[in-house]
Amino acid sequence: MRDPRDVILRPIISERSMDESENNKYTFQVAKEANKIEIKNAVEEIFDVTVMKVYTMNMNGKVKRQGRNEGRRPNWKKAIVKLTPDSKSIEFFEGV
């Protein structure tokens, strides 16, 4: 069993994710090898909430250029966590 803070890397704060937080959906960057069960357990342990569903997606890194040199950003994994209606909200996303 891994530490929950190794599974959840950071929250994703964007306009779209803030709109979804009104519907009890919160977006996080997670470890690439984490599965939905590990993500659910980590969110429940860190934020003391009840998770109803976890959606995951693998995001491909973008190709970036600087002059004639071309590189790639790393690939990463995103998870959208939907909380139960009776669960409290995650305070980190409040007031942003």
Side-chain angles (χ1 to χ4, degrees):
M1 185 79 179
R2 281 190 278 183
D3 183 47
R5 285 167 180 77
D6 291 337
V7 176
I8 305 292
L9 301 179
R10 69 181 182 96
I12 297 176
I13 308 294
S14 66
E15 201 169 327
R16 183 173 182 178
S17 69
M18 298 318 295
D19 289 343
E20 287 295 326
S21 67
E22 297 168 5
N23 301 329
N24 273 356
K25 288 185 178 179
Y26 300 95
T27 308
F28 298 96
Q29 180 180 350
V30 296
K32 279 190 63 75
E33 60 277 354
N35 60 35
K36 291 183 179 185
I37 297 167
E38 290 174 331
I39 295 167
K40 177 184 178 200
N41 292 336
V43 170
E44 286 179 345
E45 188 175 328
I46 293 172
F47 298 106
D48 193 33
V49 293
T50 309
V51 175
M52 180 169 33
K53 190 158 178 70
V54 177
Y55 308 91
T56 60
M57 55 208 81
N58 289 311
M59 309 297 290
N60 288 325
K62 295 179 179 179
V63 174
K64 290 292 182 178
R65 289 174 40 122
Q66 189 163 16
R68 64 181 178 186
N69 300 322
E70 192 173 89
R72 241 187 127 72
R73 287 186 180 169
N75 298 335
W76 55 287
K77 190 171 194 176
K78 177 164 79 170
I80 299 174
V81 177
K82 183 175 173 116
L83 305 181
T84 57
D86 58 334
S87 176
K88 66 176 187 164
S89 64
I90 297 177
E91 294 85 20
F92 191 88
F93 288 87
E94 298 288 324
V96 175

